[in-house]
Amino acid sequence: MNYSKKLRGWSLRNAADANQLLEVTCQFCRRTYRFFPNDLLKLTADVSLDRLASRFRCEICNRGDFMSLKVVQIWGTEYGKLPVRRLVKINTVKMPVWEDGVL
């Protein structure tokens, strides 16, 4: 079975409940990012993982068409050695909206 078809039945909430990591790799520049699903749930709704893969862009080459997502189970030997991106804070930008009117 195609791996992307397997991701259709798996959501962010399912991956968070199973204590899994999401590994996003840029196939163009070979850069890999790992995320906790709970951190991504704070930014987006509970979507299937095949839809989530299209939302990522590489920070190095700024391309989104070469991104692939893989679900990784954490093993005991990987604790303390595996680099993972954590959500520290969310910045909201206040932007004024102007409207022209008559006095």
Side-chain angles (χ1 to χ4, degrees):
M1 179 184 259
N2 191 356
Y3 192 73
S4 64
K5 288 184 182 179
K6 289 182 182 180
L7 292 178
R8 281 188 204 149
W10 203 246
S11 68
L12 271 175
R13 176 62 51 201
N14 294 339
D17 292 342
N19 292 330
Q20 294 175 331
L21 283 178
L22 300 179
E23 189 173 80
V24 180
T25 304
C26 177
Q27 300 295 328
F28 189 74
C29 65
R30 302 288 186 212
R31 178 77 182 195
T32 300
Y33 306 101
R34 290 175 193 89
F35 300 95
F36 284 108
N38 285 330
D39 291 342
L40 294 176
L41 277 172
K42 295 175 186 173
L43 298 174
T44 185
D46 189 19
V47 296
S48 64
L49 294 181
D50 65 334
R51 288 186 179 181
L52 186 69
S54 62
R55 295 184 186 181
F56 284 102
R57 294 188 73 81
C58 182
E59 290 183 2
I60 305 297
C61 63
N62 200 23
R63 298 186 73 143
D65 51 345
F66 287 97
M67 301 302 280
S68 68
L69 186 128
K70 189 167 67 169
V71 180
V72 179
Q73 186 66 41
I74 306 170
W75 297 99
T77 58
E78 295 173 338
Y79 281 102
K81 298 176 185 174
L82 197 64
V84 177
R85 291 190 136 191
R86 298 299 314 247
L87 181 66
V88 177
K89 68 178 182 175
I90 300 171
N91 290 335
T92 56
V93 178
K94 289 186 178 182
M95 209 157 119
V97 176
W98 299 97
E99 182 179 299
D100 292 332
V102 178
L103 183 63

